[in-house]
Amino acid sequence: MTLLTTLSLLSIFLASPVVAQTWTSCNPLNTTDCPTDPALSTNHTYDFTTSSIGTTWNATAGSLKYSQTAGAYFTIATRGDAPTIQSKYYLFGGEVEVWMRAATGTGIVSSIVLQSDDLDEVDWEILGGNVTHVQSNYFGKGNTTSYDRAIWHPTSFQPQDDFHNYTTRWTKDEIEWYIDGASVRLLRSAEANGGKNFPQTPMNVRLGVWAGGDKDNPKDTVDWAGGQTDYDEGPFTMSIKSVRVKDYSEGKEYIYRDMTGSWDSIEIVPGNSTALKTLNAPPSLTASQRWNKLSPGGKIGVGSAVGVTSVALIVLAALYCVRQRKAGRRERAMADLAFERERTELSAYQMQMAKGNFAVSSKPF
């Protein structure tokens, strides 16, 4: 990325009260120096009611809170908040299934986004002020010359009231969107401008909530989001119980072989991905589990060491008490000596006063 591009991106972020989920740090259509995309290369479910986002996600804006009933809380508490997480891995074809309760609030947007480095994009967007519809959308290579790709899907429920399943299935030839297991939209590659606008490069997953209705956003954005956001009505919270992610490809990482951004230009590097190793790593043992795995001899050794350490601590504590008692006696003796000296000086002072040996100055102080 050039310095000019970096500064331009930074200025956009600083000027905007929100950080949207859709951006790229390096576009492979513009340079050959972009880093490779680490692959997920597996199927994994994240249960946010029992654990945090872990080490395979980045919190790119804001922070999350968790509960055992509602999972991860993405909360806009004040203007400028836009809590978002982004997967460190990429999918090259795959499925993303999210159990979400959308945030309330006029202008508040709850988002599930798949996006590639060259700005291919597949979305779910749910508006806090729309209780009857949710939106699916897609973009190819960041092409925003038209906004006729979005479709609003009617629901028999209010998305802000309870958790529902929003799933995206993506292959080389088609993308399908599901709500609670029922297909609501199918997009074939040829229908996206003859395939030119069809998302076809490795994508990561981004989940977040943002204020599309912020007063500093473009009027079209505020209108699309349902109107201007009143932050005094907040906080506004999107909740996600779980996320299931499946990568249809298997490999260590994905590489753009050229600057076309086509499906066939992507190279799948063989090997085990970092994400796969991390997710398959055995959990850390608790203290009791580590104890149970010790041999009888090992347990005796640990017990002996603990016993010796305990005795040593007891001896040290006793020595400390003795030293403190000695120090206390010395301090008491010194205090008694000082008291006797002060009492002697006071007696001498009283005797001098009685003899009238002290003069009183007539000069003012």
Side-chain angles (χ1 to χ4, degrees), residues 270-288:
N272 290 329
S273 72
T274 302
L276 182 62
K277 293 177 183 178
T278 301
L279 294 172
N280 289 341
S284 301
L285 297 178
T286 64
S288 62

Side-chain angles (χ1 to χ4, degrees), residues 53-307:
I53 61 175
T55 59
T56 54
W57 296 81
N58 277 326
T60 58
S63 60
L64 310 184
K65 294 183 178 180
Y66 301 88
S67 80
Q68 294 181 346
T69 56
Y73 293 128
F74 298 68
T75 299
I76 296 177
T78 59
R79 185 167 185 249
D81 289 348
T84 303
I85 62 173
Q86 175 179 316
S87 66
K88 295 181 180 180
Y89 53 78
Y90 287 71
L91 317 176
F92 190 35
E95 300 172 12
V96 177
E97 175 184 335
V98 179
W99 282 91
M100 175 209 284
R101 179 174 61 202
T104 59
T106 299
I108 302 300
V109 186
S110 300
S111 299
I112 303 167
V113 178
L114 283 70
Q115 189 176 8
S116 68
D117 296 339
D118 64 359
L119 299 178
D120 284 343
E121 184 178 332
V122 182
D123 302 337
W124 284 105
E125 291 164 315
I126 305 173
L127 307 183
N130 190 330
V131 298
T132 60
H133 291 75
V134 300
Q135 178 184 279
S136 65
N137 205 353
Y138 74 94
F139 295 89
K141 307 296 181 282
N143 181 359
T144 57
T145 55
S146 67
Y147 290 89
D148 56 356
R149 292 172 289 272
I151 293 181
W152 292 95
H153 307 282
T155 61
S156 59
F157 54 83
Q158 293 190 11
Q160 303 81 7
D161 284 353
D162 206 350
F163 289 89
H164 294 275
N165 184 315
Y166 303 93
T167 298
T168 308
R169 184 181 62 84
W170 165 51
T171 69
K172 178 181 180 180
D173 300 314
E174 61 186 29
I175 300 171
E176 195 160 12
W177 290 260
Y178 300 81
I179 299 177
D180 290 337
S183 175
V184 295
R185 182 179 185 182
L186 175 64
L187 172 72
R188 294 182 174 86
S189 176
E191 298 168 349
N193 192 20
K196 294 179 182 179
N197 282 345
F198 186 80
Q200 53 193 299
T201 48
M203 295 193 280
N204 57 32
V205 183
R206 310 178 187 200
L207 310 172
V209 62
W210 59 287
D214 188 89
K215 65 180 182 180
D216 284 349
N217 284 340
K219 183 179 183 303
D220 289 344
T221 300
V222 175
D223 291 344
W224 165 80
Q228 188 168 308
T229 299
D230 182 354
Y231 294 95
D232 291 336
E233 295 180 354
F236 312 107
T237 299
M238 175 186 80
S239 305
I240 294 182
K241 275 188 176 180
S242 66
V243 181
R244 182 182 66 85
V245 187
K246 182 176 183 179
D247 190 354
Y248 284 168
S249 301
E250 295 183 358
K252 179 181 179 181
E253 56 193 14
Y254 305 121
I255 298 176
Y256 288 74
R257 289 201 309 263
D258 56 38
M259 300 170 71
T260 63
S262 68
W263 185 285
D264 294 333
S265 72
I266 303 301
E267 177 184 350
I268 303 174
V269 179
N272 290 329
S273 72
T274 302
L276 182 62
K277 293 177 183 178
T278 301
L279 294 172
N280 289 341
S284 301
L285 297 178
T286 64
S288 62
Q289 288 172 330
R290 289 196 295 271
W291 172 260
N292 292 333
K293 288 177 70 68
L294 288 174
S295 64
K299 291 179 179 179
I300 292 174
V302 171
S304 300
V306 170

Side-chain angles (χ1 to χ4, degrees), residues 329-349:
R329 286 197 295 270
R330 286 197 300 270
E331 291 173 357
R332 177 59 185 272
M334 293 176 65
D336 290 344
L337 181 61
F339 175 75
E340 289 297 327
R341 184 166 57 247
E342 290 173 358
R343 189 169 63 174
T344 300
E345 292 175 352
L346 179 61
S347 297
Y349 173 80

